[in-house]
């Protein structure tokens, strides 16, 4: 612990003692230094700072070094600034802001818009599930998550999104979860991928299977597309709609579903993201999601028959034959560099309009 003195001697106090020891007055000192009496009075009272030039003059008057007076001045001004600024408050606020993206939490309405320091600390600690700000936030349960590999995500932003998802999931009523029934329902799930309107039915579909589908828009620097974890006996599938496109939506959703089907356990994460994702599990989930959405046999036939030319018509025709939204096919072509990212983007419909009732809110199904 750093000890802080209750008061600090200012240069003027030492000057006053030196004058008293010599039997001098402030007027005498003013005449000796060739300074106005008012200037000397202000220095003695601490209303005027000791400059390097003044420090040299005082050193000559009292037989000291200039450093003595400069050190006295610096220490006194630092002490005064510490008292005025409330350094403990600044330190506390800095710690709070390092634990969570406070401004975004307030903007989203995840914590009250109260900036009183005590209330802010209380609200952030409650949101993160920690007792006080000396603790390091941890999500507490294993998580499988899909996020950007090209950017460095911030752990505090990811944990905040996960915490919000868990809060929303607690307000949902879902059925009893059975891993066997969940896996058997994959074909039915994929039937919703034919058009974007089918997305509206997904929250109820998953609730009937005992799983929470939660939509929490990504926070800045979280770079997370989705995640899956358990809240008690029920899985929570989190989607952030970081890319509001039908292709990204369906791949992320099936990727997280694949983690559940493959019984992946995920990893524990904290605000430092010290433990990376399970690479093997992520690769397995990618393969399952890819195969579910577009079976490799029919997809390869489509590629070979197209002669490396992919028009809206050929894409739409193939998508219709496999009962998938054309945007899912376009997304695969983009990902594999079969088609430039600037081409066929009109087929990548947004999905958020079909999820308005459940974006960052609890909902009844």
């Amino acid at each position: 612990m750093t000890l802080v003195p209750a008061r600090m001697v200012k240069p003027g106090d030492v000057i006053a003692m030196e004058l008293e020891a010599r039997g001098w007055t402030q007027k005498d000192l003013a005449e000796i230094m060739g300074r106005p009496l008012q200037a000397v009075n202000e220095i003695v009272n601490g209303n005027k700072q000791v400059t390097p030039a003044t420090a040299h003059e005082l050193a000559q008057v009292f037989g000291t070094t200039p450093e003595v007076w400069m050190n006295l001045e610096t220490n006194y001004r630092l002490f005064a600034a510490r008292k005025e600024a409330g350094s403990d408050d600044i330190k506390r606020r800095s710690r709070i802001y390092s634990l969570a993206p406070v401004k975004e939490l307030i903007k989203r309405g995840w914590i009250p818009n109260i900036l009183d320091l005590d209330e802010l600390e209380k609200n952030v600690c409650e949101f993160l599930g920690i007792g006080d700000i000396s603790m390091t936030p941890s999500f507490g349960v294993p998580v499988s998550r899909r996020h950007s590999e090209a950017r460095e995500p911030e752990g505090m932003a990811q944990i905040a999104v996960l915490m919000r998802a868990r809060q929303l999931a607690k307000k949902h009523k879902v059925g009893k979860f059975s891993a066997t029934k969940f896996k058997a329902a994959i074909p039915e799930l994929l039937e919703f991928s034919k058009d974007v309107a089918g997305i509206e039915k997904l929250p109820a579909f998953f609730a009937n299977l005992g799983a929470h589908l939660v939509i929490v828009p990504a926070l800045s620097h979280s770079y997370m597309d989705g995640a899956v974890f358990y809240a008690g006996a029920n899985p929570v599938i989190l989607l952030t709609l970081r890319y509001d496109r039908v292709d990204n939506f369906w791949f992320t959703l099936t990727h997280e579903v694949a983690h559940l089907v493959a019984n992946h356990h995920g990893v524990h994460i904290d605000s430092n993201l010290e433990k990376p994702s399970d690479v093997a599990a992520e690769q397995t989930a990618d393969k399952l999601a890819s195969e579910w959405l577009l079976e490799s046999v029919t997809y390869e036939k489509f590629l070979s028959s197209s002669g490396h030319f992919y028009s809206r018509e050929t894409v739409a025709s193939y998508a219709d034959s496999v009962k998938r939204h054309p945007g899912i096919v376009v997304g695969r072509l983009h990902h594999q560099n079969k088609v430039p990212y600037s081409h066929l983007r009109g087929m990548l419909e947004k999905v958020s309009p079909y999820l308005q009732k459940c974006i960052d809110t609890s909902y009844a199904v």
Side-chain angles (χ1 to χ4, degrees):
M1 180 176 67
T2 302
L3 297 178
V4 179
R7 70 180 297 272
M8 181 67 67
V9 175
K10 60 181 179 288
D13 294 336
V14 179
I15 293 173
M17 289 189 290
E18 290 288 345
L19 292 178
E20 184 178 357
R22 289 169 172 75
W24 292 353
T25 64
Q26 290 186 21
K27 184 177 180 181
D28 293 330
L29 179 60
E31 291 177 353
I32 293 171
M33 295 176 65
R35 295 285 192 93
L37 176 59
Q38 182 180 349
V40 171
N41 181 261
E42 289 177 348
I43 292 173
V44 173
N45 291 329
N47 297 324
K48 187 179 182 67
Q49 294 190 27
V50 174
T51 65
T54 302
H56 277 281
E57 293 175 5
L58 290 172
Q60 294 180 59
V61 171
F62 297 120
T64 62
T65 63
E67 287 78 13
V68 168
W69 301 102
M70 289 306 299
N71 288 338
L72 283 169
E73 179 66 33
T74 299
N75 291 336
Y76 174 69
R77 295 300 168 185
L78 285 173
F79 174 78
R82 183 183 295 116
K83 288 187 66 177
E84 181 178 345
S87 60
D88 287 344
D89 286 356
I90 292 175
K91 185 177 181 180
R92 282 174 65 198
R93 196 175 295 275
S94 174
R95 173 59 179 167
I96 292 169
Y97 274 67
S98 72
L99 293 175
V102 174
K103 286 187 176 180
E104 284 195 272
L105 299 192
I106 292 174
K107 184 178 180 180
R108 297 277 182 89
W110 295 359
I111 62 173
N113 186 12
I114 301 175
L115 294 181
D116 172 78
L117 188 55
D118 291 336
E119 284 296 315
L120 179 63
E121 180 176 338
K122 173 178 172 289
N123 292 332
V124 169
C125 286
E126 287 182 354
F127 179 83
L128 295 175
I130 56 178
D132 59 69
I133 58 175
S134 68
M135 300 174 69
T136 299
S138 175
F139 190 55
V141 298
V143 182
S144 295
R145 65 199 188 281
R146 181 171 184 260
H147 57 79
S148 172
E149 296 180 359
R151 301 186 180 187
E152 290 292 332
E154 290 184 359
M156 70 172 187
Q158 289 200 358
I159 285 181
V161 173
L162 291 167
M163 290 291 187
R164 177 61 174 173
R166 182 157 58 189
Q167 291 172 359
L168 295 177
K170 287 180 179 179
K171 300 177 181 179
H172 296 167
K173 291 183 179 180
V174 298
K176 184 178 180 180
F177 179 73
S178 164
T180 302
K181 290 182 179 179
F182 188 84
K183 183 177 181 179
I186 299 302
E188 185 181 352
L189 167 64
L190 296 173
E191 289 178 9
F192 295 113
S193 67
K194 183 173 174 57
D195 57 69
V196 287
I199 290 172
E200 288 182 311
K201 302 175 183 178
L202 290 177
F205 171 81
F206 282 108
N208 289 333
L209 290 171
H212 302 275
L213 178 62
V214 179
I215 312 295
V216 178
L219 292 175
S220 302
H221 308 297
S222 65
Y223 305 125
M224 185 162 59
D225 296 300
V228 64
F229 57 90
Y230 275 83
N234 299 90
V236 178
I237 300 171
L238 161 66
L239 302 179
T240 68
L241 305 187
R242 188 163 71 97
Y243 296 111
D244 187 5
R245 305 190 313 255
V246 65
D247 62 320
N248 186 266
F249 172 85
W250 274 104
F251 187 80
T252 302
L253 176 61
T254 52
H255 175 97
E256 303 308 337
V257 167
H259 280 306
L260 292 174
V261 170
N263 196 30
H264 293 154
H265 299 292
V267 296
H268 287 274
I269 65 170
D270 58 28
S271 58
N272 297 316
L273 288 184
E274 293 176 346
K275 293 185 179 179
S277 298
D278 185 331
V279 176
E282 294 302 313
Q283 291 175 344
T284 298
D286 280 348
K287 289 179 181 179
L288 283 173
S290 297
E291 188 65 21
W292 286 340
L293 288 172
L294 298 173
E295 292 183 359
S296 56
V297 174
T298 57
Y299 179 67
E300 290 299 328
K301 287 182 179 179
F302 161 67
L303 294 180
S304 60
S305 65
S306 298
H308 304 293
F309 177 75
Y310 309 99
S311 65
R312 290 180 64 91
E313 291 73 19
T314 58
V315 168
S317 176
Y318 166 64
D320 184 64
S321 70
V322 294
K323 297 181 180 181
R324 297 290 182 265
H325 188 285
I328 295 174
V329 181
V330 173
R332 180 71 60 86
L333 293 172
H334 284 167
H335 180 71
Q336 295 181 337
N337 295 316
K338 303 291 185 182
V339 173
Y341 277 88
S342 58
H343 291 192
L344 303 176
R345 296 197 67 81
M347 305 182 88
L348 300 176
E349 290 188 73
K350 288 188 175 183
V351 299
S352 58
Y354 303 93
L355 293 166
Q356 288 302 308
K357 293 182 180 179
C358 57
I359 292 180
D360 199 17
T361 185
S362 58
Y363 57 87
V365 295

